[in-house]
Amino acid sequence: MTTTPVRTADVYPTRGPEEVLIGRKDPVVWSDPGTPGPLWGHELESFEQQGFLPVEQLITPEEVDVYRGELDRLVSDPAMRGDERSSVEPASREVRSVFEVHRVSEVFARLAADPRVVGTARQILGSDVYVHQSRINVKPGFGARGFYWHSDFETWHAEDGLPRMRTVSVSIALTPNHPTNGGLMIMPGSHRIFLGCAGATPEDNYKRSLQMQDAGTPSNEALSKFADACGIRLFTGRAGSATWFDCNAMHGSGDNITPYPRSNVFFVFNSVDNVAEEPFAAPLRRPEFIAARDFTPVR
Ligand code: 6CS
Ligand code: FE
């Protein structure tokens, strides 16, 4: 007797025939006010309101040197170039991202488990957490491509089976984020509305979507409404700065045509009470290096 895969009710339908707007059904900050952790109460409130929290210095300049060195080592390792966990720039074929860096690299594993990092994720999500995805983005200069507007949760729900919005990302800058070199842009407050995208997920969509997303892309009309209502915030900061952002924040980044790389390390923490089920709107699961199936909490 075959057992049907366990999947909870789909409260965020997406990738059907029409685009849909659904009010968020989940808290943004899951821990009780006053819960101890790296963030102050007013910072948690700001995260709740905006859907993001910039941190001027999450790691020291000396630590940046260590992690930047590790990024350079990984990116220039010939073995990594051929590894399926590396994705390359469409034009230059330079390495664009390396996934699962918390498992590939002891150095990045330690950063994910650093109390300043995992402690903040636990404080926001109100539980133990595991790494759903990690990656280093090199975003070299001279034309590296950006990422078009999207909600990460829309993909993680549709393709990875994350049932609820109890997931938080942190992007830690390993090179300066200037206003000009393809920085992260987020629409403040956009995390409160789930935008279910139109259009079914093609088979092994991830092979294209990690270079340029098509399934899960909002319409121009929806993006115009979001931008008119929320505005757009560009994140700049020194190497060592970071941005925490909610899984459902509408965000994207531009191309980087300057000579200055915009490299970062990116961790996605998911609550152990929100583990991945079967995809809600995709024919197949994505590979485990993109969507973890090991739910062991980060200690
Ligand atoms: O598909 C994903 O999981 C990845 N894609 C983007 C553009 N952002 C989130 C995540 O790293
Ligand atoms: Fe994203």
Side-chain angles (χ1 to χ4, degrees), residues 2 7-8 18 33 58 64 74 92 94 109-110 121 137 153 162 168 175 181 197 202 206 246 249:
T2 51
R7 207 171 65 187
T8 50
E18 303 294 324
L58 182 61
V64 168
L74 283 173
S92 66
E94 277 191 77
R110 274 202 303 277
N137 294 311
F153 177 76
L162 299 196
V168 66
T175 58
N181 63 340
C197 298
Y206 75 92
D246 177 78

Side-chain angles (χ1 to χ4, degrees), residues 133 135 147 150 152 155-156 210 213 251 266 286 290:
Q133 180 183 110
R135 64 199 279 188
F147 284 106
H150 62 283
D152 290 340
T155 292
W156 296 337
L210 296 175
Q213 192 154 340
H251 67 286
F266 173 79
R286 298 200 294 175
I290 298 177

Side-chain angles (χ1 to χ4, degrees), residues 168-214:
V168 66
S169 300
V170 62
S171 173
I172 304 172
L174 298 180
T175 58
N177 286 1
H178 304 297
T180 52
N181 63 340
L184 174 65
M185 295 181 283
I186 300 179
M187 295 187 187
S190 59
H191 62 305
R192 298 190 172 287
I193 303 280
F194 176 72
L195 191 141
C197 298
T201 311
E203 292 244 338
D204 66 17
N205 179 50
Y206 75 92
K207 287 187 179 147
R208 282 182 306 287
S209 66
L210 296 175
Q211 288 194 334
M212 187 44 71
Q213 192 154 340
D214 43 25

